Amino acid sequence: MSISTKYDPIEVEDKWYQYWLENNFFHARPNPEKEPYSIVIPPPNVTGELHMGHMLNNTIQDILIRKARMEGKEACWVPGTDHASIATEAKVVRMLREKGIKKSDLSREEFLKYAWEWKEKYGGIILEQLKKLGASCDWERTAFTMDDDYYKAVIRVFVDLFNKGYIYRGLRMINWDCEAQTALSNEEVIHDENGEKSILYSVKYKIKDSDEYVIIATLRPETIMGDTAVAINPKDERHNHLIGKKALVPFINREIPIIGDDYVELDFGSGCLKVTPAHDQNDYEIGLRHSLEVVDTINLDGTLNEKCEIPRYVGKDRFEVRKLIIEDLGKTGLIVKEEESVTKIGRSERTNTVVEPKLSLQWFIKMKEISRKAHAAVMEDEILLYPTKFKNTYNHWMKNVRDWCISRQLWWGQRIPAYYFGKVEEDFVVAETPEDALNLARDKSGNSNLTTDDLQQDPDVLDTWASSWLFPIEVFHAFGDDKFDAQKGKLIKGKNADLDYFYPTDILVTAPEILFFWVAKMIIAGYEYMDEKPFRNVYLTGIVRDKLHRKMSKSLGNSPDPLELIKEYGADGVRTGMLFSSPAGNDLLFDIKLCEQGRKFANKIWNAFRLVKNWKVDENRPSDQNDFALNWFEARFNQALTRLEDHFSKFRMSDGLMTVYKLIWDDYCAWYLEMIKPPFGEPIDKATYDRTIDFQERLMKILHPFMPFLSEEIWQQITNRTTEQALIVSEWPEPKAFDKLLIDTASTAFEVVTNIRNIRNSNNLSPKEALELQILTSSKEVIEKASSAIQKMANLSNLTFVTDKPDNCMHFVLQSGEYFVPITGEIDVESQIEDLKKELEYNMGFLSSIMKKLQNERFVNNAPGKVVEIERKKQSDAEVKIKALEERLAKLI
RNA sequence: GGGAUCUUAGCUCAGCUGGUUCAGAGCACUUGGUUUACACCCAAGGGGUCAUAGGUUCGAAUCCUAUAGGUCCCACCA
């Protein structure tokens, strides 16, 4: 039988994924016999494609869920997708535009039909891609934030929050995207770090009934016609005499008050600020303080309207008007200065157009009250964030939480269930269905003749996060009619087996940039509807960057195609590659070399398996010469497993992988297998073979979460397994107590081996040439225990203990004793002397630093006895070593 | 402007409550190797005043203060 020396992941991976699926290993259901363990996936955008961030995220989740499954928990990983209203709508609009269809030519229903078609076509892609990665999601539970149930849940929650008084409709300064014609949340507005160049104009405003002028500075002259005041800092000696007078707006000569407000900076521009409440957040707030008139001169599409009073400007885009008005102001000599200025102007994340601050009627959630428990939960460690530094960030944000604008002027999403029936702003009702709305409207208006035709539903949809904040609850179909107590506004316990069993989930793995968008909001919803947190732990991954520290993105073109990567390196290789460089919470500098390292690791494991697989067993062969190796590896395995568990408990995935990596590569392959390996062609004894198989099985178990495919393949090849015996559902090993002394003995032995190999290296001695070793030591037992291993690993013909120092030897001194290797060839005495001198010098320096400490009375008196003891031991060890080196040196000279 | 956080080997990072895990790991690098499991490999080796300056202490990579530089979040000057 021959097995390839190269591990080929491609066929193996598809085979096992299919096998796991067919046997339903990913599916979980409430099981009172077992402890639940659940994770909900951060739902990717429904029309998105897998990128490196997803790869990292989902690898981590899969590792956790696989380990939990092996630990005998009922492990449930719920997958799903997010309808992502803005992103998806933008894509659909673009797609339609390419077909020559304008959104504005379509009815809402027609548009949604296209959107759903788009969703059906592309919606599943990303989940299929996750399967290639090995994600062991419970696919039967796949959720979509616009599923019928889910849609209803979101509406139900809106109505409930409205009835509880958390939702209100209000006039607010919002970020308006003139191109997409929608409001944007602050988070969707991008400010370029370096700012953008712009020109700051100084413009003269005449003072009424006077020849004086006031000079204001503005970046946005096109908003001049919306000015309703000029503000001056009352402390400003230069201008404060003007406060109380009136200024005249250029061209239209509107009289506006000159007011005092300390918002105005003394040393920016001219010190006088034109106040345009309709078009600037700060100006709006100044306006509120001084009860200023609001003149809104800009339309939703960014053109100016007739309120600007200048016909030449009406209907033209704000940027065009800027050019025109500068021309006009220039002609009349009103511009006194133009200077270059850099401003951190906001642009829409989606359309990249300059965001227009705009007053608009929007729906809001009052955040202060509703977020209180969510704030406390993190501060009091009811929910743990990894890494913990995000706790501070979270705190800062929650303390200063602002009301959440949840309406979006889009069609793709849950439509706001508010129905208008009259002329006045207050003439609306909020209800889950049009029928309920009609009843409410009849009550509210006192007009029992109202019909559904008199009701107009709000055209806007809800912010995506206002649906995905229910994800950890609603994936379990929580808000059904009989499960929700509308009176209390709570979900009823005991009505939903899945929810009762799996909620709260164990961990959420997501990106730090959506800590507030999504994580905080889920916590809020969790406490509001379940009186319970949605997850115990939050693991925040870093951003995947390239070697130049740039964020990997499609637009930069610096992101490899994940599926291509998987093809080339295998899913196992890519998974480990991602993890090799991924400390929790830090950005990951992705380097394709790491995937290569992952692939090499897979190959290494494969070959170790091949070696063992090909051994012939001889039942009659004695095994005692391997006792040391067997017992040592047993101890070493448990030591590593203990470490691994510790890493897992702190979500240090990268360290966990490295622990397994070193255990397999260094300890198992480089030392253990080499120690027990029979000479070529010879069989191995039964006892050693059996235990090696046992080791290999346990190694595959702890490898499985990281490299599920390779480990399952080897597992199944070691022995024929029944379905129930598949590795994916096998039992995770318990860390046992281990013999630390034995591990120390082994490292002493390995140190000896390394030194002998070193001697070979520096004397050009072939590893095939057997050497002799003579040892002068006071602790013979330690070496004796490991002597057969040392002989084998160092290729010694002979290992003897001596009482006198032999001549003509290569020589080294270790803590454990003095070692002599007679060699036949010429010994380079000069270089030996050189080396000895160096080593001696180092040890003398070491000793003197210790002596300094020990001679310091304050150290001896104050330091704990144990520490002093250690120093004394160091001293005597160093003295012994120095003595040996000196004697040796004397002999050579 | 407010806040957080970081600076340890060429690179990416570990180093928890100050003392044997104290100067570490992986990769990269150098040297040598056709040792029948693996050249996707083996063996050995060289790399660091722990950002800088002070302080606390018997003792500091670890605690404190300041400085410099980086990263992130929030707010934002018209």
Side-chain angles (χ1 to χ4, degrees):
Chain A
M1 168 191 66
S2 84
I3 319 173
S4 168
T5 62
K6 309 254 184 292
Y7 171 64
D8 177 18
I10 297 215
E11 52 182 287
V12 169
E13 294 186 351
D14 283 347
K15 175 178 73 184
W16 291 117
Y17 201 83
Q18 228 21 64
Y19 175 83
W20 294 326
L21 275 181
E22 279 161 15
N23 290 291
N24 219 13
F25 288 137
F26 301 160
H27 184 55
R29 72 213 87 187
N31 178 350
E33 312 275 293
K34 286 177 161 190
E35 196 185 322
Y37 187 96
S38 57
I39 301 179
V40 293
I41 207 169
N45 287 0
V46 68
T47 63
E49 273 174 47
L50 202 66
H51 58 63
M52 297 307 286
H54 295 128
M55 299 280 281
L56 174 62
N57 239 301
N58 290 294
T59 296
I60 291 169
Q61 292 173 74
D62 194 48
I63 289 170
L64 293 170
I65 210 84
R66 282 181 187 270
K67 176 163 188 274
R69 193 179 289 124
M70 290 173 76
E71 285 169 332
K73 295 175 186 164
E74 189 68 22
C76 184
W77 183 12
V78 186
T81 46
D82 189 322
H83 69 281
S85 65
I86 296 182
T88 304
E89 178 148 335
K91 277 191 181 170
V92 174
V93 167
R94 201 175 312 139
M95 175 273 289
L96 288 172
R97 202 185 294 150
E98 276 161 21
K99 285 189 184 170
I101 303 170
K102 277 200 254 170
K103 182 188 167 193
S104 51
D105 293 343
L106 297 176
S107 70
R108 186 176 191 118
E109 285 65 37
E110 285 166 336
F111 177 82
L112 286 177
K113 205 173 145 244
Y114 280 116
W116 276 105
E117 275 171 14
W118 173 271
K119 185 260 166 187
E120 293 309 325
K121 192 162 169 197
Y122 299 101
I125 292 179
I126 195 155
L127 299 182
E128 289 308 309
Q129 291 175 317
L130 280 179
K131 292 178 181 172
K132 293 280 176 204
L133 184 66
S136 58
C137 300
D138 187 349
W139 299 109
E140 288 176 35
R141 295 181 182 273
T142 304
F144 175 50
T145 56
M146 286 253 281
D147 284 340
D148 281 351
D149 282 9
Y150 205 114
Y151 194 113
K152 281 184 196 146
V154 172
I155 298 303
R156 178 157 278 175
V157 163
F158 183 98
V159 173
D160 177 64
L161 291 176
F162 178 80
N163 291 335
K164 285 173 177 164
Y166 285 125
I167 290 187
Y168 66 95
R169 189 164 180 245
L171 193 65
R172 277 302 179 91
M173 184 67 70
I174 48 137
N175 304 298
W176 184 260
D177 181 330
C178 295
E179 191 177 317
Q181 300 233 12
T182 180
L184 302 172
S185 65
N186 284 336
E187 291 81 3
E188 289 158 336
V189 178
I190 309 295
H191 297 271
D192 186 342
E193 260 315 292
N194 305 314
E196 294 187 25
K197 266 197 220 157
S198 187
I199 296 171
L200 183 65
Y201 299 94
S202 295
V203 181
K204 291 202 284 194
Y205 284 31
K206 203 170 181 311
I207 307 277
K208 193 193 172 196
D209 302 329
S210 148
D211 292 334
E212 263 190 286
Y213 285 91
V214 58
I215 294 171
I216 59 92
T218 181
L219 287 164
R220 304 203 54 198
E222 71 275 15
T223 64
I224 281 177
M225 291 74 73
D227 288 357
T228 54
V230 169
I232 288 167
N233 192 317
K235 286 187 217 115
D236 190 340
E237 301 289 338
R238 298 168 299 174
H239 309 298
N240 57 12
H241 64 281
L242 295 171
I243 294 172
K245 299 193 173 167
K246 304 261 183 191
L248 298 174
V249 176
F251 304 134
I252 60 174
N253 291 321
R254 180 192 299 131
E255 278 181 32
I256 54 173
I258 299 175
I259 57 175
D261 195 295
D262 38 359
Y263 167 75
V264 183
E265 303 270 333
L266 293 169
D267 50 5
F268 188 90
S270 62
C272 303
L273 170 72
K274 76 186 203 55
V275 183
T276 324
H279 302 301
D280 183 279
Q281 175 74 43
N282 293 302
D283 290 13
Y284 179 66
E285 277 159 28
I286 294 174
L288 288 178
R289 284 199 286 276
H290 299 271
S291 315
L292 297 176
E293 196 190 339
V294 177
V295 179
D296 187 345
T297 59
I298 299 178
N299 290 320
L300 294 179
D301 61 0
T303 60
L304 269 73
N305 61 32
E306 61 288 344
K307 286 202 189 120
C308 79
E309 296 181 32
I310 300 175
R312 169 164 139 79
Y313 299 161
V314 175
K316 298 210 168 81
D317 184 77
R318 56 210 160 122
F319 293 110
E320 207 184 328
V321 173
R322 182 180 298 177
K323 282 185 203 141
L324 293 174
I325 196 165
I326 289 160
E327 233 176 82
D328 293 345
L329 288 166
K331 277 184 205 152
T332 45
L334 291 175
I335 295 185
V336 295
K337 197 158 76 176
E338 296 184 18
E339 52 195 320
E340 285 221 334
S341 170
V342 173
T343 158
K344 285 186 187 171
I345 199 164
R347 285 181 180 272
S348 164
E349 187 182 41
R350 309 285 173 200
T351 63
N352 198 36
T353 51
V354 173
V355 166
E356 191 66 40
K358 176 139 193 71
L359 279 176
S360 160
L361 267 178
Q362 298 291 334
W363 292 92
F364 289 88
I365 296 183
K366 283 183 204 163
M367 294 298 274
K368 194 102 204 142
E369 182 65 31
I370 201 173
S371 64
R372 195 157 286 156
K373 278 184 193 159
H375 185 195
V378 170
M379 296 328 289
E380 289 158 12
D381 292 335
E382 179 72 16
I383 296 172
L384 298 168
L385 304 187
Y386 297 88
T388 47
K389 65 179 175 182
F390 286 108
K391 197 169 153 182
N392 292 320
T393 321
Y394 184 88
N395 182 35
H396 191 250
W397 188 79
M398 290 300 257
K399 256 190 183 153
N400 304 302
V401 68
R402 301 179 143 211
D403 284 357
W404 174 18
C405 178
I406 50 168
S407 41
R408 294 288 183 278
Q409 287 63 46
L410 298 165
W411 285 343
W412 178 245
Q414 284 92 0
R415 190 168 176 182
I416 291 176
Y419 299 82
Y420 305 95
F421 57 83
K423 294 251 150 44
V424 195
E425 248 170 49
E426 288 74 37
D427 287 344
F428 70 84
V429 292
V430 168
E432 287 182 34
T433 61
E435 296 72 43
D436 291 352
L438 184 62
N439 288 333
L440 287 172
R442 283 178 176 164
D443 282 355
K444 191 167 174 181
S445 65
N447 176 1
S448 54
N449 296 325
L450 280 181
T451 67
T452 35
D453 291 341
D454 298 318
L455 296 185
Q456 283 213 307
Q457 189 176 355
D458 195 302
D460 292 353
V461 299
L462 287 164
D463 179 13
T464 292
W465 306 107
S467 65
S468 56
W469 71 328
L470 302 177
F471 205 67
I473 302 174
E474 187 51 28
V475 292
F476 299 115
H477 310 286
F479 281 90
D481 290 337
D482 55 331
K483 298 172 191 156
F484 181 68
D485 183 336
Q487 294 300 311
K488 291 187 186 147
K490 298 277 178 199
L491 289 163
I492 306 164
K493 299 241 157 75
K495 289 270 188 176
N496 183 330
D498 281 347
L499 191 65
D500 291 341
Y501 185 73
F502 288 117
Y503 189 98
T505 64
D506 288 83
I507 183 165
L508 176 78
V509 181
T510 193
E513 63 242 46
I514 54 174
L515 184 58
F516 310 126
F517 274 129
W518 189 47
V519 180
K521 289 170 185 157
M522 281 189 284
I523 301 175
I524 293 171
Y527 282 105
E528 186 62 28
Y529 290 103
M530 295 292 292
D531 285 323
E532 172 68 286
K533 60 190 174 262
F535 25 70
R536 286 176 243 278
N537 305 289
V538 180
Y539 178 106
L540 296 153
T541 60
I543 295 168
V544 181
R545 298 179 181 276
D546 66 9
K547 276 195 281 185
L548 303 172
H549 293 233
R550 297 175 307 180
K551 189 172 174 172
M552 278 192 167
S553 72
K554 239 192 199 161
S555 50
L556 262 176
N558 60 349
S559 176
D561 176 350
L563 293 183
E564 285 301 313
L565 276 183
I566 289 176
K567 249 186 218 158
E568 190 165 355
Y569 299 98
D572 288 330
V574 178
R575 288 165 69 110
T576 49
M578 308 279 323
L579 230 46
F580 275 133
S581 71
S582 185
N586 281 351
D587 285 357
L588 175 151
L589 269 65
F590 182 80
D591 187 340
I592 200 124
K593 273 188 180 160
L594 293 169
C595 291
E596 213 173 300
Q597 195 185 339
R599 187 186 57 188
K600 286 180 181 177
F601 184 39
N603 203 56
K604 180 74 186 174
I605 297 165
W606 179 248
N607 278 291
F609 160 71
R610 277 181 58 233
L611 173 70
V612 175
K613 174 103 182 161
N614 288 332
W615 278 338
K616 300 274 172 298
V617 181
D618 180 350
E619 306 260 353
N620 302 317
R621 210 178 165 90
S623 68
D624 9 334
Q625 83 278 5
N626 287 332
D627 283 353
F628 175 75
L630 289 162
N631 294 336
W632 167 74
F633 192 75
E634 180 68 43
R636 192 71 174 158
F637 177 85
N638 282 297
Q639 186 187 39
L641 182 55
T642 307
R643 262 184 217 154
L644 180 62
E645 291 291 357
D646 184 51
H647 289 317
F648 265 116
S649 73
K650 292 166 185 151
F651 300 107
R652 294 179 174 171
M653 316 305 262
S654 202
D655 296 317
L657 170 62
M658 196 45 74
T659 303
V660 176
Y661 181 83
K662 285 197 280 192
L663 178 68
I664 292 180
W665 202 308
D666 298 344
D667 296 316
Y668 184 67
C669 293
W671 289 106
Y672 173 76
L673 288 179
E674 293 299 333
M675 283 193 277
I676 61 151
K677 187 157 92 177
F680 181 66
E682 286 185 33
I684 191 158
D685 69 85
K686 180 88 167 65
T688 303
Y689 181 77
D690 287 348
R691 288 192 67 186
T692 304
I693 293 295
D694 173 47
F695 287 149
Q696 205 160 54
E697 289 186 345
R698 278 190 271 162
L699 289 173
M700 288 311 104
K701 284 183 178 181
I702 63 173
L703 180 69
H704 182 75
F706 302 101
M707 303 180 103
F709 297 109
L710 169 70
S711 54
E712 184 78 76
E713 170 73 15
I714 291 179
W715 174 264
Q716 301 269 356
Q717 285 210 28
I718 292 174
T719 316
N720 286 328
R721 315 275 177 173
T722 64
T723 305
E724 294 75 39
Q725 291 167 335
L727 180 57
I728 186 176
V729 288
S730 69
E731 202 177 325
W732 185 259
E734 286 272 339
K736 298 198 186 78
F738 53 90
D739 185 347
K740 180 75 173 41
L741 218 64
L742 186 57
I743 290 174
D744 291 343
T745 302
S747 37
T748 301
F750 296 166
E751 201 182 6
V752 174
V753 172
T754 299
N755 271 279
I756 294 168
R757 284 171 177 170
N758 203 358
I759 285 173
R760 283 185 196 279
N761 250 346
S762 52
N763 291 279
N764 285 324
L765 298 173
S766 156
K768 285 180 183 163
E769 186 182 337
L771 299 175
E772 260 181 71
L773 179 66
Q774 297 175 7
I775 307 170
L776 181 64
T777 178
S778 53
S779 47
K780 254 169 85 172
E781 326 72 54
V782 176
I783 301 299
E784 269 174 338
K785 233 173 152 181
S787 73
S788 67
I790 293 174
Q791 289 197 57
K792 182 161 188 184
M793 297 303 281
N795 189 18
L796 301 175
S797 57
N798 211 336
L799 184 154
T800 50
F801 294 95
V802 292
T803 44
D804 294 316
K805 301 182 183 184
D807 292 323
N808 286 330
C809 289
M810 295 302 293
H811 159 266
F812 56 91
V813 181
L814 300 174
Q815 211 63 290
S816 46
E818 240 180 299
Y819 296 80
F820 302 89
V821 180
I823 62 173
T824 43
E826 191 87 354
I827 294 180
D828 184 347
V829 180
E830 284 309 312
S831 81
Q832 268 216 60
I833 291 176
E834 198 63 23
D835 291 347
L836 279 169
K837 277 184 174 165
K838 260 192 207 153
E839 210 181 340
L840 191 58
E841 198 183 324
Y842 172 83
N843 280 286
M844 299 286 270
F846 183 68
L847 180 62
S848 85
S849 78
I850 289 165
M851 293 313 288
K852 230 198 237 159
K853 252 191 205 175
L854 285 170
Q855 277 157 9
N856 182 342
E857 273 181 41
R858 285 189 296 178
F859 171 73
V860 179
N861 295 336
N862 292 322
K866 218 170 119 190
V867 174
V868 179
E869 227 14 74
I870 288 162
E871 292 301 313
R872 292 242 159 83
K873 174 86 165 54
K874 277 191 199 163
Q875 180 200 350
S876 66
D877 287 349
E879 280 168 353
V880 168
K881 198 159 182 186
I882 286 168
K883 188 164 163 256
L885 288 167
E886 278 172 347
E887 283 174 11
R888 177 73 190 164
L889 194 58
K891 213 164 204 172
L892 287 177
I893 292 172

